[in-house]
Amino acid sequence: MSSAIRKYAALCIVCLCSSCFSWTVSFDNKYSQNTIQAANGILALSENDLKKSPVRFLVSGWEFYPDALLTPEEIQDSDHYMRYLSIGEMSNFSSPADSSPYGCGTYRMTFFLPERKEAYAIELPEVFSSYTLYLDHDRILQLGDPEQRIPLVQNRMVTFYGGKPVTLTIAVSNYDHFYGGIVYPPAFGTMLAVNTSRGIRFAFCLFSCTVTFVCACCLFTSVTWMKQKNAFLFGLICLAMCGLSSYPALHMLMALPVFPWYTLELFCIYLVTLLIIILQNRICARLPSFRHQ
């Protein structure tokens, strides 16, 4: 009876973990949300639109000026080549004929918001690998130095007040990462909604990091009396997952250079994959069906 209870409890835990993972993927899926998007570089929202979707990811309708680091004044005063694009459509500045991730470009979008003066926020995820951000004609944020090719990456949030049209301009350069430009769509909405979304994501990252670290410690301390090498391997997987899951929270807390931090992140990904393969081979080799073959 106790064996049946343990199996049922294990099944319930697996189902709960799978449900939590599916909910997390759905919550953080930036491309499945059915919200109004920009068109031709303009995003117009009413009060009803903002009440219905307080947070939206800015995927479509960006103006993009390739191979140029432009200020708002330079865009207005000169006739530069421009095309419209969607964030995530390409992972670099390149055209279909040139797949190099290195170069520069300027992104632009204009917001038409309700007339009442309310605080709004834009969350900028990791932009590779340096940029200058302008609201209208004011430079309000710079990470790294796009002109001097000094990389610096961080997840940042900027706020502004509505009541009038607001133009967002982001001049980006990349000469250090295999991604280039804005790869992940920024989030826009009311300040409360964007802050809440960031807080949930940050709390989940901390929870994942804590759980995997505790599991690793428990496995390492119990491996001596369990006398199982598989437990030690699983502890290494948990420790590598702890390092991997800590990066989103780390990018929210501080600005980091591309090297060596992204190298360590890639190392954790490859290490987790390698250890899973090794552990699976050890478990399968112990099964009777494999030994008799």
Side-chain angles (χ1 to χ4, degrees):
M1 185 66 182
S2 60
S3 177
I5 293 176
R6 285 198 298 268
K7 291 181 180 180
Y8 181 74
L11 180 62
C12 291
I13 292 173
V14 170
C15 293
L16 179 62
C17 293
S18 301
S19 300
C20 291
F21 179 77
S22 301
W23 177 84
T24 303
V25 172
S26 176
F27 171 78
D28 200 37
N29 193 330
K30 303 173 178 59
Y31 299 96
S32 64
Q33 297 185 1
N34 186 20
T35 56
I36 295 176
Q37 294 291 317
N40 300 327
I42 296 176
L43 179 63
L45 298 173
S46 65
E47 292 189 10
N48 289 332
D49 296 329
L50 290 168
K51 288 180 180 178
K52 183 179 179 181
S53 302
V55 179
R56 68 196 63 237
F57 292 101
L58 304 177
V59 177
S60 307
W62 285 87
E63 297 179 10
F64 180 64
Y65 300 84
D67 303 320
L69 293 172
L70 303 175
T71 64
E73 292 81 4
E74 290 172 338
I75 293 177
Q76 290 183 349
D77 297 340
S78 303
D79 187 16
H80 296 275
Y81 169 74
M82 182 270 292
R83 68 174 186 264
Y84 298 105
L85 58 75
S86 297
I87 303 300
E89 178 182 355
M90 303 183 68
S91 60
N92 48 50
F93 304 106
S94 63
S95 62
D98 182 12
S99 58
S100 172
Y102 307 120
C104 61
T106 303
Y107 301 80
R108 191 167 182 259
M109 182 178 290
T110 301
F111 299 85
F112 286 86
L113 302 170
E115 294 183 358
R116 62 189 180 91
K117 197 172 183 180
E118 184 176 348
Y120 299 95
I122 296 176
E123 180 189 13
L124 286 167
E126 303 153 65
V127 178
F128 303 103
S129 53
S130 59
Y131 67 91
T132 303
L133 184 145
Y134 304 86
L135 277 180
D136 291 332
H137 297 279
D138 300 324
R139 186 177 72 176
I140 64 170
L141 177 62
Q142 180 170 318
L143 273 179
D145 193 330
E147 295 183 354
Q148 300 297 324
R149 303 185 180 183
I150 300 175
L152 203 61
V153 181
Q154 187 181 12
N155 185 312
R156 295 292 296 268
M157 186 182 75
V158 296
T159 60
F160 63 93
Y161 285 95
K164 62 176 183 178
V166 177
T167 300
L168 178 73
T169 306
I170 310 173
V172 188
S173 72
N174 174 63
Y175 297 93
D176 299 271
H177 200 270
F178 52 84
Y179 288 155
I182 304 179
V183 181
Y184 312 112
F188 168 76
T190 61
M191 188 166 62
L192 176 61
V194 174
N195 266 321
T196 302
S197 176
R198 280 172 57 88
I200 293 174
R201 195 178 299 113
F202 183 74
F204 181 80
C205 290
L206 289 182
F207 174 77
S208 302
C209 185
T210 303
V211 168
T212 52
F213 182 75
V214 170
C215 288
C217 292
C218 292
L219 288 165
F220 287 147
T221 54
S222 62
V223 71
T224 54
W225 59 267
M226 289 178 66
K227 299 183 188 291
Q228 286 284 340
K229 291 184 178 180
N230 291 345
F232 180 75
L233 281 173
F234 190 68
L236 289 179
I237 293 174
C238 292
L239 195 61
M241 281 299 300
C242 176
L244 183 60
S245 61
S246 65
Y247 270 89
L250 191 63
H251 286 305
M252 285 188 180
L253 294 175
M254 60 184 69
L256 300 171
V258 171
F259 184 83
W261 296 99
Y262 281 95
T263 304
L264 293 174
E265 184 177 3
L266 286 175
F267 174 75
C268 289
I269 295 174
Y270 295 139
L271 182 61
V272 168
T273 305
L274 175 63
L275 292 174
I276 289 175
I277 293 173
I278 295 174
L279 180 60
Q280 182 182 9
N281 288 338
R282 287 184 57 85
I283 293 174
C284 292
R286 292 177 178 272
L287 295 178
S289 59
F290 280 81
R291 289 204 302 264
H292 293 324
Q293 289 178 358

